[in-house]
Amino acid sequence: MPNVEMNFDGLVGPTHNYAGLSYGNVASLNNAKGLSHPKQAAQQGLIKMKTLADLGLFQGVLAPQARPDIGVLRRLGFTGNDAQVINKAAKSDPLLLAACYSASSMWTANAATVSPSADTADGKVHFTPANLTNKFHRSIEPQSTGRVLQATFNDPTTFVHHNHLPENDHFGDEGAANHTRFCLGYEQPGVEFFVYGRHAFDTSKPAPKKFPARQTIEASKAVARLHGLNDANTVFALQNPDVIDQGVFHNDVISVGNQNVLFYHEQAFAQTEHVLAEIQRKMGDIPMHFIQVPTAAVSIDDAVKSYLFNTQIITLPNGEMAIIAPTEALENLAVKTYLNELISADTPIKQVKYIDVKQSMQNGGGPACLRLRVALKAHELSAVNPHTRITEDKFIELNTWVEKHYRDELKIADLADPHLLTESQTALDELTQILHLGSVYPFQLE
Ligand code: SUG
């Protein structure tokens, strides 16, 4: 087994819908109440995974969560059997029901923050599920996320699983969407880069005025402490509050890193020069490639619409880097022109591959949102649950499973139908067998 950075994509769940739940996320609001296509969404996600695997990368899959979250509805006072709970919620608070039905766990960049063993004090790979406190529909994810991660990385001698941070906006944590890591080889020690949107305790510091800053510095620092990181291998940077107000709700909408490359928009950070200097200083002899995209070439509006920075920068087996971009980037002239120029410029990025993840994009989730990166040394790779790896056979098996269980279309009114719950539970129960996860869902644990 090689040393790798493995991407774990979130499999789109059977209840994928557009409920307009994410204030501050432009796509989610623009597509609110639109017709969704769960089967197509899951197929697009699987093709993305297969594309990366075919490029020679190690690709994994993380199971979606059980929705609707009946436990949360009961906790909020809806009673009776499952069908009655759904009927009552549909009548009295359809928006709440939609929130409990969200398939948002597909965006596994928000599942957790992961620190590879080369960076941590105890030499193990550390995981902290994100508490996602800023959005109700996402704040109900971390417990199941923890169980899915434990079932996927299930060797305690290699992997450490922390509890999510306290469930309060002071410790709002959005996971890897606000975290990246710089290194030379993935197995070598690196510098972990945490980007936050506000200070929770010290409110005199800059913060956005319109849209929420989901990640706090207090959360980022707590995760770094839990993972046994230190001052020499961490950099904490304030995101530019003005871009949060323009729809950049996570750092991975405005910058992305890979190895010794940081690809970022001119307006991404509050104190760019200072941040870049600190990264380079902590990287020591390893020269960073800072690829800055000027506003004159790509506006914030174009960056948000095209998801130019929600791309994945990957290292191909031949050592060259490639960008995995959504097809929306092709449709935007400024961004398409920029990318065409980028691949012939003097940077490690030598090709762009466009993929269609439109069903996810319409909820504000691009290629990078759909994946959680886990850098693994060879022996750690062997400790990962092998059934979660995307191979030719697994791809076929998962597509057959999607074809069998998923609806073609879903509109918000369909969420009132209790059959959707039973369909979803039947599908997920079967999935835990396909991925050899054991019992991870509340309906399996009762
Ligand atoms: O948290 N959208 C997600 C998109 C997450 C994107 N992730 C990263 N940038 N890493 C969010 O805003 C929309 C759900 C709805 O409206 O139905 C939603 O949750």
Side-chain angles (χ1 to χ4, degrees):
M1 290 273 186
N3 301 314
V4 293
E5 181 176 80
M6 189 162 174
N7 286 292
F8 285 83
D9 277 42
L11 187 54
V12 179
T15 67
H16 160 64
N17 70 88
Y18 300 121
L21 300 170
S22 280
Y23 181 66
N25 167 345
V26 183
S28 153
L29 297 190
N30 287 347
N31 293 300
K33 314 281 185 288
L35 185 69
S36 67
H37 296 90
K39 185 178 283 182
Q40 189 188 31
Q43 287 165 341
Q44 287 175 347
L46 284 167
I47 290 170
K48 171 182 184 277
M49 296 181 223
K50 180 70 165 36
T51 305
L52 279 265
D54 288 347
L55 286 171
L57 272 72
F58 278 70
Q59 177 68 52
V61 60
L62 290 179
Q65 305 214 344
R67 293 291 180 264
D69 190 327
I70 284 285
V72 164
L73 289 169
R74 288 187 191 283
R75 206 173 145 195
L76 295 173
F78 296 103
T79 54
N81 60 31
D82 289 353
Q84 288 165 332
V85 165
I86 290 170
N87 280 331
K88 287 175 188 171
K91 284 202 183 85
S92 87
D93 198 341
L95 284 178
L96 171 61
L97 181 65
C100 293
Y101 250 120
S102 178
S104 53
S105 65
M106 71 173 84
W107 300 297
T108 51
N110 305 118
T113 306
V114 185
S115 293
S117 60
D119 299 349
T120 60
D122 63 1
K124 294 186 183 183
V125 186
H126 285 244
F127 296 80
T128 298
N131 61 19
L132 302 169
T133 54
N134 191 258
K135 298 283 176 268
F136 173 72
H137 69 291
R138 305 222 58 185
S139 71
I140 59 180
E141 293 177 31
Q143 260 162 3
S144 288
T145 301
R147 281 196 296 273
V148 169
L149 288 173
Q150 300 213 23
T152 309
F153 304 94
N154 52 5
D155 172 6
T157 62
T158 309
F159 305 114
V160 180
H161 294 277
H162 299 279
N163 201 353
H164 55 280
L165 299 183
E167 294 149 14
N168 178 280
D169 239 14
H170 272 55
F171 286 95
D173 177 20
E174 299 283 316
N178 281 39
H179 171 261
T180 192
R181 172 177 187 263
F182 306 114
C183 59
L184 200 56
Y186 293 119
E187 77 289 2
Q188 292 171 24
V191 170
E192 302 207 9
F193 183 44
F194 292 83
V195 182
Y196 60 91
R198 69 187 175 97
H199 291 248
F201 287 98
D202 182 353
T203 48
S204 68
K205 293 279 181 5
K209 296 184 177 61
K210 185 177 168 201
F211 291 144
R214 299 194 196 185
Q215 178 90 29
T216 66
I217 185 169
E218 289 83 355
S220 298
K221 292 210 159 168
V223 171
R225 271 192 301 273
L226 285 167
H227 290 194
L229 307 181
N230 58 55
D231 183 55
N233 68 9
T234 50
V235 174
F236 298 89
L238 176 65
Q239 196 179 346
N240 177 357
D242 295 342
V243 300
I244 296 181
D245 280 338
Q246 293 170 68
V248 181
F249 57 99
H250 286 136
N251 174 60
D252 68 4
V253 177
I254 198 78
S255 87
V256 54
N258 178 48
Q259 290 184 312
N260 58 343
V261 169
L262 174 61
F263 178 57
Y264 66 102
H265 193 275
E266 182 184 0
Q267 296 184 55
F269 311 114
Q271 289 183 299
T272 310
E273 291 313 310
H274 175 85
V275 169
L276 303 187
E278 188 179 348
I279 294 172
Q280 184 57 79
R281 183 165 51 79
K282 292 185 172 172
M283 288 293 283
D285 296 342
I286 302 166
M288 284 293 299
H289 294 274
F290 293 119
I291 308 175
Q292 184 187 83
V293 181
T295 309
V298 177
S299 66
I300 297 293
D301 190 46
D302 280 340
V304 171
K305 283 195 185 117
S306 67
Y307 266 31
L308 169 62
F309 298 95
N310 202 264
T311 42
Q312 286 176 241
I313 304 179
I314 55 169
T315 303
L316 300 168
N318 69 5
E320 280 183 6
M321 292 193 194
I323 277 200
I324 306 295
T327 44
E328 282 74 1
L330 260 183
E331 291 154 17
N332 182 301
L333 187 60
V335 170
K336 183 179 149 188
T337 309
Y338 178 83
L339 281 172
N340 280 342
E341 284 167 12
L342 174 70
I343 51 175
S344 43
D346 184 23
T347 83
I349 303 170
K350 295 294 171 217
Q351 52 169 293
V352 193
K353 207 165 178 64
Y354 293 95
I355 48 157
D356 179 4
V357 286
K358 247 186 185 46
Q359 282 294 310
S360 168
M361 283 288 285
Q362 289 178 176
N363 249 340
C369 301
L370 286 161
R371 63 93 164 88
L372 182 67
R373 291 186 277 189
V374 187
L376 297 160
K377 294 181 181 168
H379 71 277
E380 296 160 350
L381 181 57
S382 343
V384 175
N385 175 343
H387 305 281
T388 61
R389 181 164 166 210
I390 297 295
T391 56
E392 190 76 40
D393 287 350
K394 193 62 72 180
F395 175 72
I396 294 169
E397 199 178 3
L398 288 171
N399 271 297
T400 309
W401 171 81
V402 167
E403 190 59 52
K404 174 172 162 199
H405 294 286
Y406 280 49
R407 293 192 187 187
D408 287 318
E409 293 183 351
L410 211 49
K411 38 185 195 311
I412 291 295
D414 296 333
L415 305 181
D417 171 12
H419 288 118
L420 188 56
L421 166 110
T422 34
E423 281 168 36
S424 174
Q425 289 187 345
T426 307
L428 295 183
D429 199 39
E430 202 175 304
L431 182 69
T432 53
Q433 292 162 41
I434 295 175
L435 301 180
H436 294 237
L437 297 178
S439 299
V440 289
Y441 297 117
F443 68 85
Q444 296 174 313
L445 298 166
E446 276 153 11

